[in-house]
Amino acid sequence: MKKQLTDLQRSVYVFMREFFAENDQLPTVAVICEKFGKYPNQIHELQLALMKHGLIERNAVHKFKFARVAV
């Protein structure tokens, strides 16, 4: 059984989805840092947590993308 997302993880994920919908790309770490008032290493840890939950993944050049969901 996987743990639930924390409020911060959920907020960052929702922000990433909204940013993507508006800009057709994921926000940079700097943009997320500015939005949430966090340091880059904290955002990196949040991104790793989202990876562990299967919500985002890395592409061939190690940039984050939303995970594909099997239909």
Side-chain angles (χ1 to χ4, degrees):
M1 178 193 214
K2 285 188 177 183
K3 290 183 179 180
Q4 297 287 331
L5 292 176
T6 66
D7 290 339
L8 182 57
Q9 290 169 346
R10 186 175 293 103
S11 295
V12 169
Y13 181 69
V14 168
F15 173 71
M16 290 172 71
R17 288 298 244 185
E18 291 170 351
F19 188 94
F20 184 82
E22 293 173 9
N23 301 288
D24 202 30
Q25 65 182 12
L26 289 176
T28 63
V29 170
V31 169
I32 300 171
C33 287
E34 184 177 321
K35 169 74 176 171
F36 292 94
K38 301 290 182 188
Y39 292 105
N41 61 331
Q42 293 170 309
I43 298 305
H44 180 68
E45 290 298 320
L46 284 166
Q47 289 173 323
L48 291 178
L50 293 174
M51 274 183 62
K52 288 180 183 176
H53 284 282
L55 298 172
I56 62 174
E57 59 191 21
R58 290 193 183 268
N59 64 16
V61 292
H62 293 280
K63 293 196 180 248
F64 285 107
K65 66 178 185 170
F66 291 111
R68 294 178 189 229
V69 178
V71 181

